[in-house]
Amino acid sequence: MAALKVFLHNAMVEKGWRKVDLARATGWTNTMVERALDPRYQSKVPALEKALHKLGKVVVGRTVDI
C-alpha cells in the first residue's frame, strides 16, 4: 500500500500536479486526496489505481521466484 502511495506522489510530481489537480481529475474531495497520499491511512487499491490512471500510469503486479 505504501508503495502505491509513493508511486502516486511521484507521478504527481512528474506531471507537475498539485493536490487540487488530482481532486479535479478524480472527482474526489480534498479530504479524499489527503487520505490517498497519507501513508498511515488504509486506502483501497482500486482508488489508488484510479488516481494513477488519471496521471497516465497503470498498476501491474507480478510475483518473481527468488
Side-chain angles (χ1 to χ4, degrees), residues 60-66:
V60 178
R62 67 181 180 147
T63 61
V64 178
D65 291 331
I66 55 172

Side-chain angles (χ1 to χ4, degrees), residues 1-29:
M1 184 61 58
L4 286 178
K5 291 179 180 249
V6 170
F7 294 146
L8 176 58
H9 177 266
N10 289 346
M12 288 175 65
V13 170
E14 181 182 300
K15 293 272 189 176
W17 279 25
R18 300 165 297 158
K19 292 176 185 177
V20 68
D21 300 317
L22 184 62
R24 285 184 188 132
T26 56
W28 293 349
T29 64

Side-chain angles (χ1 to χ4, degrees), residues 17-54:
W17 279 25
R18 300 165 297 158
K19 292 176 185 177
V20 68
D21 300 317
L22 184 62
R24 285 184 188 132
T26 56
W28 293 349
T29 64
N30 184 47
T31 302
M32 294 168 75
V33 170
E34 290 290 336
R35 288 177 177 170
L37 294 169
D38 183 351
R40 294 168 293 173
Y41 185 82
Q42 189 65 29
S43 299
K44 304 286 187 206
V45 172
L48 297 177
E49 287 177 322
K50 174 184 177 179
L52 284 162
H53 186 263
K54 295 292 182 178

